[in-house]
Amino acid sequence: GGARASPPREDLPFQLELPLYWKTVGKNPYKEGFRKHRVVKQEIVELFQRLADGTCRNPVKVLKVRRIEDSALWCRYINWKRNLSQGLLEEGDKIKAPNELDGNPDSGHVLTEKILAENRGDHAISVENMQPGLNEMLLWHGTSQQAAEAIAEEGFVVADARHGRRFGNGVYLAEDLTKSLDYCKSAANGINYVLLCRATCGHIYYTEKDWDSGADSPA
């Protein structure tokens, strides 16, 4: 099992690399800096509602969705993905997909991936240019309003993470929105803030333990 990594093409035109629904899609993120936080249309909010309903065990109401179009964060992510994939290619490694980790390939598919496929959400939530050979997927991250705003501006900073110690240091993401909501700190108005993140996971360390603070070392 497993798939061999294939790196993003170095010569890939920036128009094909950026999500096509970004309003900044005509800009080259490596040469033209941009940082836009856009409130999306109601039809996209409804898509997020279906995604939330399908990944959360409790009723939730999506009130507002903002899309982050940030050249610096995007380039940092793409560079990380290139470096990871190049390293895997040089090592000749194959990566197991999430549904292959427990020995039963018919189960364990990523919830967000299944729901987006069923709802044909490509026009609003980016799955273009995702690379299964790198275990690239869309995952939730629950946090406080202040932390959500900071992450949207600067990206994740593992060294400053208040959470993320149950399985060692790291950024904690989940396909299950219920789990991410456990990490939310409600604002004064009772609203929770959650990020939907594009993540390249590479090799996934599989464990069924409830707690393993040293898991980041073998992972």
Side-chain angles (χ1 to χ4, degrees):
R4 289 194 182 279
S6 56
R9 285 171 43 193
E10 292 286 350
D11 62 342
L12 188 68
F14 64 85
Q15 295 98 330
L16 298 180
E17 190 177 86
L18 291 172
L20 296 177
Y21 52 82
W22 279 19
K23 293 188 180 297
T24 48
V25 70
K27 294 186 176 183
N28 185 335
Y30 298 96
K31 296 180 179 179
E32 303 173 75
F34 54 82
R35 176 180 287 172
K36 301 291 184 182
H37 294 194
R38 304 185 189 278
V39 177
V40 304
K41 297 178 180 178
Q42 182 58 31
E43 63 178 300
I44 300 177
V45 174
E46 292 169 2
L47 175 60
F48 268 81
Q49 182 66 62
R50 293 194 292 274
L51 187 60
D53 291 340
T55 60
C56 191
R57 295 188 293 274
N58 303 314
V60 291
K61 175 66 174 176
V62 178
L63 300 177
K64 184 186 292 186
V65 177
R66 278 192 292 162
R67 183 173 68 239
I68 309 302
E69 301 181 18
D70 188 302
S71 58
L73 293 180
W74 180 261
C75 291
R76 193 167 83 188
Y77 178 75
I78 292 299
N79 291 340
W80 158 258
K81 191 164 76 165
R82 281 201 179 106
N83 291 336
L84 173 64
S85 116
Q86 189 60 46
L88 292 170
L89 279 175
E90 291 172 357
E91 295 169 7
D93 274 0
K94 287 185 178 181
I95 288 179
K96 285 189 176 182
N99 61 300
E100 298 176 334
L101 294 172
D102 64 354
N104 182 5
D106 295 326
S107 65
H109 293 275
V110 180
L111 287 175
T112 48
E113 178 183 338
K114 289 180 63 179
I115 294 165
L116 287 176
E118 292 167 0
N119 287 277
R120 300 183 64 83
D122 290 11
H123 68 291
I125 303 177
S126 177
V127 293
E128 306 100 337
N129 298 327
M130 282 205 170
Q131 296 183 277
L134 292 176
N135 275 336
E136 188 174 14
M137 58 194 77
L138 292 167
L139 301 170
W140 302 105
H141 178 79
T143 188
S144 66
Q145 178 182 3
Q146 181 181 8
E149 297 286 358
I151 293 168
E153 292 285 341
E154 304 296 336
F156 288 97
V157 181
V158 175
D160 293 341
R162 295 179 59 186
H163 301 295
R165 298 293 184 267
R166 187 170 185 170
F167 294 97
N169 295 329
V171 175
Y172 279 48
L173 306 169
E175 59 174 339
D176 184 346
L177 180 56
T178 312
K179 173 59 67 175
S180 292
L181 287 172
D182 288 342
Y183 288 89
C184 289
K185 182 179 180 182
S186 298
N189 54 12
I191 294 174
N192 290 322
Y193 288 76
V194 180
L195 301 167
L196 182 64
C197 307
R198 183 168 175 158
T200 298
C201 299
H203 285 296
I204 296 176
Y205 176 73
Y206 180 79
T207 180
E208 295 184 1
K209 295 180 180 179
D210 292 330
W211 191 288
D212 185 357
S213 60
D216 55 327
S217 295

